[in-house]
Amino acid sequence: MANYLLKNARVIDGDSDENRDLYISNSKIAQPEGHIDEDVETVECDGHLILPGGIDTHTHMGIPIKGGYSVDDFQSGSHAAMHGGITSIIDFSILNPEDSLSVSVDRRISEASRSICDFGIHCNVTRMSPEILDEIPKLIASGITSFKVFTTYEEASMMLSYNEIEVLAKRIAQHDGILMVHAEDNAIIRSSTEQFDVEDNTGAKYHEMSRPVAAEVVAIRQIGELAKRTGCKTYIVHISSGQGLQEALRYGLMTETCPQYLFLDDNVYRGENENMFVASPPIRSHENSQVLLDAVLSKKIMTIGTDHCPFNLRDKEGVESFRDIPNGMGGVETSFPLLLAHFLENDYSLSLLARLTSENAARIFGLFPQKGSLKNGADADLMIIDPKTPLTGWENQLKSNSDWCAFAGMPAIFPKHVFRRGQWVIRNGELQNRDEGQFLSMEVPREINPTPLP
Ligand code: URP
Ligand code: ZN
Ligand code: ZN
């Protein structure tokens, strides 16, 4: 394996931001002042930025939804991820009716072995039984520490009741794991959806109206109460509204949002390709996206996942009722580049960006300090960025299988080079090494970095 001396960079991670060299030895970050291996390749960085490789906490590669499949599999999706600076992804197992949890997880690990990114797996729990509860300790001991439930999607047989979730949370808490929740109240969604059906209102904008902010708020409140009763560490995925966030914070829950809730607003449901923006929860008003953007800056949001679940135009356009549109959008490739452009444009702290896109995820999902850091001994997962890269014209360089991008036309800065465990994977924006990633065995969560930003 080659070793690299990255010279004259601005090296930024969650708690440092300094101009220096960075040395990669045997796949790890090492000390440049110490011993330099003989076979070292020097890379002149010209003051470019180096940040830790991103960790996407929330992807869905090649999953079945409403009769089709999300169009990025682990190979194309991880290529897209790497192109956008994400070196690790955490995806979800799929529990088929005849599966035990461990069978579902093993199958997903095997599918994910084609990923170029390193990968962890969250365990979807879409059915409850005593046998399922009994699997939790063994799974946690084997590196599967996060268990995802849905308070909706009853029609797809994925929903658990709040009572079932509480029983599960109790068991997870006993073993110090994490409960992850897709929080939208099913009863609220069902009654508003029925109302639109009766009125024969079926376009994409009714998707938004059938899943109101109140559905998110009520579900998060129920989850907050049961988290309080059980003492279970609880993480709310894809928070879409200011009120939903407020509720999560009130109960001390861990908070994730996604780029679609930060950079888009609900006018998308009244414009071109409106079906393509159908994702759950829906994209909210401009006021909501502004509240979430502010919350990102004030550290109320802990992680930015993407909920990467892209489709092609032909999969969604022309579908008449919002109920039949496969729900989901792409994001793994553009998330970091959009955030970087936004942070640079507004002169926000890049150490905060490193925490939001890498370090906090590594801490929550028990991967720190192997991941999420540029300190000595960490995996050499990093990206080199020329901050003068043009902000526009990136759309025709995308690697995702999807033929449509929700963020086209927005300012974004893609990394020039990306390394994963010391391997030079993306060179000048192009894939040059497709070696498979490794399964990431996750540990129980650690505290989010309490130190002030540099
Ligand atoms: O609409 C979405 N978000 N599709 C992916 C599955 C999920 O709910 O996260
Ligand atoms: Zn979800
Ligand atoms: Zn999701």
Side-chain angles (χ1 to χ4, degrees), residues 56-63 65 70-73 76-78 80-81 89-92 108 238 258-260 305-311 327-335 399-402 404 407:
D56 192 334
T57 49
H58 190 156
T59 65
H60 300 283
M61 301 304 179
I63 62 159
I65 296 196
S70 59
V71 298
D72 270 327
D73 58 16
S76 67
S78 62
I89 56 173
I90 316 182
D91 208 279
F92 298 82
R108 199 63 176 157
H238 52 43
C258 312
Q260 54 270 36
T306 64
D307 199 6
H308 184 74
C309 186
F311 290 90
N327 51 298
M329 292 169 56
V332 75
E333 190 165 12
T334 46
S335 180
K399 315 301 179 197
S400 165
N401 272 348
S402 175
W404 180 83
F407 306 99

Side-chain angles (χ1 to χ4, degrees), residues 253-306:
L253 309 180
M254 293 179 273
T255 51
E256 174 198 272
T257 192
C258 312
Q260 54 270 36
Y261 307 117
L262 297 172
F263 296 121
L264 301 174
D265 65 50
D266 56 5
N267 284 317
V268 296
Y269 296 119
R270 288 153 193 89
E272 212 186 323
N273 296 138
E274 69 272 28
N275 284 8
M276 297 305 287
F277 297 91
V278 167
S280 298
I283 293 158
R284 309 290 185 190
S285 66
H286 183 67
E287 290 70 34
N288 277 295
S289 63
Q290 293 312 296
V291 171
L292 292 177
L293 272 173
D294 286 349
V296 161
L297 294 179
S298 57
K299 301 192 216 163
K300 292 180 181 132
I301 295 284
M302 293 176 180
T303 65
I304 299 176
T306 64

Side-chain angles (χ1 to χ4, degrees), residues 1-4 6 22-30 51-55 78 82 85-89 112-120 367 369-375 377-383 417-426 433-441:
M1 160 152 319
N3 301 310
Y4 298 96
L6 311 180
L22 192 143
Y23 182 43
I24 300 175
S25 172
N26 284 324
S27 80
K28 301 280 185 191
I29 307 285
L51 280 104
I55 301 173
S78 62
M82 282 283 181
I86 303 285
T87 50
S88 301
I89 56 173
S113 64
R114 300 179 69 211
S115 166
I116 305 165
C117 299
D118 286 348
F119 60 93
L367 299 169
Q370 179 196 350
K371 303 290 188 192
S373 156
L374 293 177
K375 302 287 180 285
D379 281 357
D381 293 347
L382 56 89
M383 52 186 137
H417 307 303
V418 181
F419 290 74
R420 192 258 292 112
R421 277 181 288 104
Q423 279 190 320
W424 198 333
V425 177
I426 298 284
N433 182 324
R434 55 170 68 248
D435 281 3
E436 286 165 357
Q438 288 180 354
F439 169 64
L440 296 171
S441 173

